[in-house]
Amino acid sequence: MMSLQEMSDRLEIQDLFARYSFAIDERDWDALDRVFTPDARIDYSETGGARGSFPAIKAWLPIALERFAMFQHMVATTRLDLTGDTATSRTILFNPMVHRDAAGAEQVFFIGLWYRDRLVRTGEGWRIAERYEEKAYSHNVPQMDPAPDLKGAA
């Protein structure tokens, strides 16, 4: 049986993942400050993205996602292991995206993946301290230039 604290922690972490999704989908990069710890490590490299510190990734995201007209980050089932003020999780993500090429033509594609996270409880609530994006599958991915590297975000 779950304690009230565990139920509260699980709901707060579920809300954290929703805040991440809305921040990305609404291109509200500053909202990510309330999702990640300042020293978080993020690795999107398995799906063609960058790997680095939270500040570097935060600066890189608007540049890397500029070529996409629209996207949705739909988080689903989470396996969560709580241990006091820390937790690890593996969460399913279904990510449809609309790529816009240089001529303005759009193509819908989607990616399925898992977020593997290490979470910590802070004075401001739960935050992601480490995020690794593990690719499961993709469909209808268009030909496109690789995502810019972190140097392009500096």
Side-chain angles (χ1 to χ4, degrees), residues 6-22 35 75-78 80 82 89 91 117 119 126-128 131:
E6 183 176 354
M7 286 187 268
S8 175
D9 289 341
R10 288 177 177 278
L11 285 172
E12 289 178 32
I13 290 168
Q14 180 181 344
D15 182 64
L16 176 69
F17 294 160
R19 286 197 323 267
Y20 169 83
S21 296
F22 278 97
V35 172
V75 293
T77 311
T78 296
L80 181 65
L82 286 160
S89 65
T91 303
D117 295 322
L119 306 126
W126 285 95
R127 298 291 186 265
I128 300 170
R131 167 156 281 184

Side-chain angles (χ1 to χ4, degrees), residues 9-107:
D9 289 341
R10 288 177 177 278
L11 285 172
E12 289 178 32
I13 290 168
Q14 180 181 344
D15 182 64
L16 176 69
F17 294 160
R19 286 197 323 267
Y20 169 83
S21 296
F22 278 97
I24 297 292
D25 293 345
E26 294 172 354
R27 301 174 198 259
D28 183 358
W29 314 119
D30 289 335
L32 294 173
D33 295 340
R34 295 177 302 282
V35 172
F36 291 98
T37 61
D39 62 346
R41 302 295 304 166
I42 303 167
D43 186 347
Y44 296 137
S45 63
E46 197 169 312
T47 56
R51 169 182 29 220
S53 68
F54 168 61
I57 293 294
K58 181 181 170 185
W60 171 84
L61 281 167
I63 297 164
L65 296 178
E66 182 177 26
R67 60 189 164 164
F68 301 107
M70 179 57 66
F71 34 77
Q72 289 181 316
H73 289 72
M74 295 182 280
V75 293
T77 311
T78 296
R79 183 179 62 215
L80 181 65
D81 297 310
L82 286 160
T83 308
D85 292 337
T86 64
T88 58
S89 65
R90 186 175 190 227
T91 303
I92 293 172
L93 174 75
F94 179 70
N95 187 198
M97 302 180 80
V98 180
H99 175 259
R100 183 180 296 136
D101 68 18
E106 294 183 351
Q107 181 174 335

